[in-house]
Amino acid sequence: LPAGLSQWFPALEVLDVSGTGLAEMGAELLSLPCLHTLLAKNNRLGGPGSLPKGLGQAPLARSLRVLNLSGNRFAEVPPAVLRLRGLRSLSLGGNRLHGIPPDIQELQSLEFLYLGGNFITAIPPELAKLPSLRYLVLCDNKIQSIPPQLAQLHSLRSLSLHNNLLTYLPREILNLVHLEELSLRGNPLVVRFVRDLTYNPPSLQELAGRTVKTRNVPYAPSDLPESLVRYLSLASNCPNPKCGGVYFDSCVRQIKFVDFCGKYRLPLMHYLCSPECSSPFSSASQSSTSQSESDSEDEASVAAHRMQKVLLG
């Protein structure tokens, strides 16, 4: 940074030095008492001396609200950054971070935290001690699990976890009652889920068999080869009461959560004859909907209203 910066611009509030090839920022930065936004993206920061000594004690530590150091070479979150107690937005995406320090909890005013595009493998429980955090971006890392403590982030509105190594989510994540956006695409849990629910189009034999069954085409065992008679006997009725169709090998798998003894929510797998056949149905009765299913649908509508966007693919 140029010498005398504070003398030239003593009331400077926003400083953008992004894409300038900076390898370090000097002590001139410390003498800008009004600076609230510092953008230093896409530089060469990250080595020893990249940030000025005394950053955590300077007036800047109280005035700075937005700090963007994305696209640099930091291998760890700089300790001086963790002393910027007035920060509301911190971006360190696209660096070389391998972890999140527990001292992240010191940034009590933080509302936006962007750590995407690093090599982070774990999330410390201390991250859940940020009471004001509204947006948390941890996409494109190597995270394998989510600590249940994350459910304590009661202010969280958006959680981006896509392109990680997650195989499950803790049940406690349902306690994030204000969450409006959850991004999970590109994780093993989603890849397997989507793959398992993939619908394979029926064969010509199945299409013919469905027609025979749904239109009650008469036939006798002597009319058809034994293998076809046996095949037709394997037809399964679609559980959708508004459908009345059948399926043999090709079906749509659908997970439905139902009440069990009015206490537990059990995921049950249902099989539909086509992707379009997704109307409400009951496996217990084809003419009426059970009370537990009704409750399930009411709960689902509430959840859908709260969770405005869930990105799976």
Side-chain angles (χ1 to χ4, degrees):
L1 295 179
L5 184 63
S6 59
Q7 296 176 359
W8 299 337
F9 307 105
L12 191 66
E13 296 182 353
V14 179
L15 176 61
D16 188 351
V17 290
S18 301
T20 56
L22 274 180
E24 63 178 52
M25 290 187 285
E28 297 80 10
L29 193 65
L30 305 180
S31 52
L32 295 171
C34 300
L35 192 68
H36 61 69
T37 299
L38 175 58
L39 310 177
K41 302 179 292 181
N42 304 323
N43 284 301
R44 294 185 291 121
L45 301 169
S50 292
L51 301 180
K53 292 181 179 180
L55 179 63
Q57 288 78 38
L60 196 63
R62 295 184 294 274
S63 66
L64 202 60
R65 297 289 181 266
V66 178
L67 176 60
N68 193 325
L69 297 173
S70 292
N72 281 284
R73 303 175 182 180
F74 290 101
E76 62 178 14
V77 178
V81 169
L82 301 175
R83 291 193 286 271
L84 301 174
R85 305 298 169 80
L87 273 186
R88 294 177 184 171
S89 175
L90 173 61
S91 299
L92 276 162
N95 276 275
R96 302 171 182 177
L97 305 179
H98 286 266
I100 305 172
D103 286 346
I104 194 77
Q105 64 181 311
E106 301 298 329
L107 301 179
Q108 289 288 292
S109 300
L110 205 61
E111 299 178 4
F112 177 91
L113 179 59
Y114 188 100
L115 298 174
N118 283 286
F119 303 96
I120 298 169
T121 58
I123 302 173
E126 289 80 4
L127 187 62
K129 297 181 180 180
L130 298 176
S132 303
L133 196 63
R134 295 166 59 89
Y135 301 92
L136 177 57
V137 182
L138 295 168
C139 60
D140 300 290
N141 278 286
K142 299 182 181 298
I143 298 169
Q144 300 183 38
S145 63
I146 303 298
Q149 290 87 349
L150 222 60
Q152 299 170 16
L153 292 172
H154 300 302
S155 298
L156 202 63
R157 298 293 190 273
S158 176
L159 176 58
S160 296
L161 294 166
H162 51 272
N163 299 332
N164 275 286
L165 302 176
L166 297 171
T167 56
Y168 71 95
L169 292 178
R171 182 181 180 85
E172 288 80 2
I173 203 167
L174 296 175
N175 295 328
L176 293 173
V177 296
H178 296 296
L179 197 66
E180 298 174 354
E181 180 174 307
L182 175 62
S183 180
L184 293 170
R185 66 183 186 274
N187 281 281
L189 73 88
V190 176
V191 173
R192 283 203 295 267
F193 178 80
V194 172
R195 184 183 63 224
D196 290 346
L197 297 184
T198 300
Y199 176 69
N200 295 315
S203 63
L204 290 177
Q205 175 177 278
E206 176 155 353
L207 288 174
R210 290 186 182 196
T211 300
V212 170
K213 285 294 185 179
T214 55
R215 297 189 178 183
N216 295 317
V217 176
Y219 66 90
S222 58
D223 298 332
L224 301 171
E226 183 180 349
S227 60
L228 289 181
V229 174
R230 187 166 53 251
Y231 179 79
L232 289 171
S233 69
L234 298 176
S236 298
N237 292 321
C238 181
N240 184 352
K242 298 181 180 180
C243 173
V246 299
Y247 63 88
F248 293 88
D249 302 312
S250 180
C251 58
V252 177
R253 283 179 281 191
Q254 183 183 74
I255 294 176
K256 191 175 186 70
F257 287 84
V258 299
D259 286 337
F260 178 70
C261 297
K263 183 177 182 181
Y264 304 104
R265 307 291 295 171
L266 295 181
L268 300 181
M269 185 75 79
H270 294 269
Y271 299 88
L272 303 170
C273 65
S274 75
E276 292 76 26
C277 196
S278 58
S279 300
F281 60 85
S282 169
S283 58
S285 169
Q286 291 195 355
S287 59
S288 64
T289 302
S290 68
Q291 181 62 44
S292 65
E293 184 182 14
S294 231
D295 294 341
S296 174
E297 288 164 4
D298 290 342
E299 183 175 284
S301 67
V302 171
H305 175 73
R306 174 166 64 83
M307 189 75 71
Q308 296 178 7
K309 186 184 296 182
V310 179
L311 304 177
L312 294 176

